[in-house]
Amino acid sequence: GSPTITRLGLDGSSKVLATLANLGITGLHHNADPGKTGFIFEADLGAEHIESTVLEVNRDGSVAGVWDMEKAVGDAMRAGGDDPSALVRPGADWCHSNAAAYWPAQDQILISCRELFVAALDYRTGALRWLLGDPTKHWHTYPSLRSLALTVTGNAPIGQHAISFTSKNDLMLFDNGLASFNVLPGQSAGASRDVSMPRSYRLDLVKRTAKETWSFAHSPEIYSPVTSSVYKSGSSLLVNYAAEGWARFVRLVGL
């Protein structure tokens, strides 16, 4: 049937808020994250647009906005004189959007592409504003995208999940440390690490920098190469190593 967004009450009640077939959406996946006015979801639009579309749905079921990573990245690359066809590949899981966050200070929506980077889009226009990710991946070979990349002090995120903002306005995420899966022959999949950990970054868009301000190294070290998350509430954090040891275990750690 048509994909729907349903509110489930703790008393067992349920209410369908939105039916999304009229937007061409064939499925929802990954996260539901707080947005500017509602909740942000990742979506598929048939077999041609896989995990590259994000939408925000208000509590009354109305759609506040739709953001298309194929268009945002493609437009930025063409505007910078690059051909996007070897990177932005409709029908392939080239982006793999897995989380999103709204940044009120800049009126931007941030989208985590596991395959590539964290991308910031203008909330109103959908234009690509900046990128944060591993500079050894194929995307960084394009001058148009390299010019949008923030210079990282510390460790750049690799294969990240669960992006959010802390009360100090730092970007927080779970840095899985696993290189890209879906690159073409001859393209760099980027670096891989043998340990995963949550991190946070202080972003300076004037200086175009991202400074790592915090990380948590579990002892003994844990490698959780996919999924996983970190979220903060008050002064506490919950880290979910959802695929510890290549999905042999799930470990929850409160900090």
Side-chain angles (χ1 to χ4, degrees):
S2 300
T4 60
I5 295 174
T6 304
R7 176 188 294 152
L8 301 178
L10 295 179
D11 60 355
S13 62
S14 65
K15 179 182 179 181
V16 174
L17 299 182
T19 301
L20 304 173
N22 62 320
L23 296 177
I25 294 172
T26 54
L28 299 173
H29 55 85
H30 288 87
N31 280 21
D33 294 297
K36 183 176 183 177
T37 60
F39 290 93
I40 309 170
F41 299 88
E42 291 80 47
D44 291 328
L45 277 70
E48 286 300 308
H49 308 287
I50 302 171
E51 305 203 14
S52 60
T53 305
V54 168
L55 70 154
E56 183 175 6
V57 179
N58 294 320
R59 292 178 181 272
D60 63 1
S62 60
V63 176
V66 179
W67 296 272
D68 181 351
M69 285 297 292
E70 290 180 11
K71 175 173 172 52
V73 177
D75 285 354
M77 293 182 70
R78 284 185 287 268
D82 289 326
D83 178 2
S85 61
L87 182 72
V88 179
R89 308 190 311 276
D93 192 11
W94 65 275
C95 167
H96 196 90
S97 60
N98 58 27
Y102 175 66
W103 192 8
Q106 298 293 329
D107 197 28
Q108 293 177 345
I109 184 164
L110 276 60
I111 298 173
S112 170
C113 287
R114 195 222 79 88
E115 287 292 287
L116 301 173
F117 37 52
V118 177
L121 278 61
D122 183 275
Y123 184 89
R124 184 179 60 83
T125 67
L128 189 61
R129 295 305 187 204
W130 54 264
L131 303 169
L132 172 64
D134 175 12
T136 70
K137 289 180 182 284
H138 174 69
W139 68 267
H140 203 263
T141 64
Y142 296 97
S144 59
L145 299 183
R146 194 164 58 246
S147 68
L148 295 173
L150 303 184
T151 300
V152 180
T153 300
N155 297 278
I158 299 173
Q160 71 288 323
H161 288 73
I163 60 175
S164 63
F165 280 94
T166 71
S167 59
K168 295 182 179 180
N169 214 31
D170 286 355
L171 175 63
M172 189 169 62
L173 50 80
F174 189 93
D175 183 1
N176 297 79
L178 180 62
S180 300
F181 290 119
N182 299 313
V183 296
L184 294 175
Q187 295 182 352
S188 172
S192 279
R193 303 188 180 107
D194 56 5
V195 62
S196 304
M197 61 180 67
R199 305 186 194 275
S200 64
Y201 300 86
R202 180 68 46 82
L203 308 178
D204 187 327
L205 301 189
V206 176
K207 296 180 180 178
R208 310 292 294 179
T209 59
K211 180 181 180 181
E212 185 179 355
T213 54
W214 173 81
S215 64
F216 172 69
H218 190 279
S219 181
E221 293 180 341
I222 296 176
Y223 191 44
S224 186
V226 295
T227 62
S228 307
S229 64
V230 57
Y231 291 107
K232 187 173 184 178
S233 178
S235 60
S236 300
L237 297 100
L238 179 64
V239 185
N240 177 13
Y241 300 92
E244 178 179 345
W246 283 99
R248 294 177 62 208
F249 309 105
V250 174
R251 185 189 300 257
L252 298 175
V253 178
L255 303 176

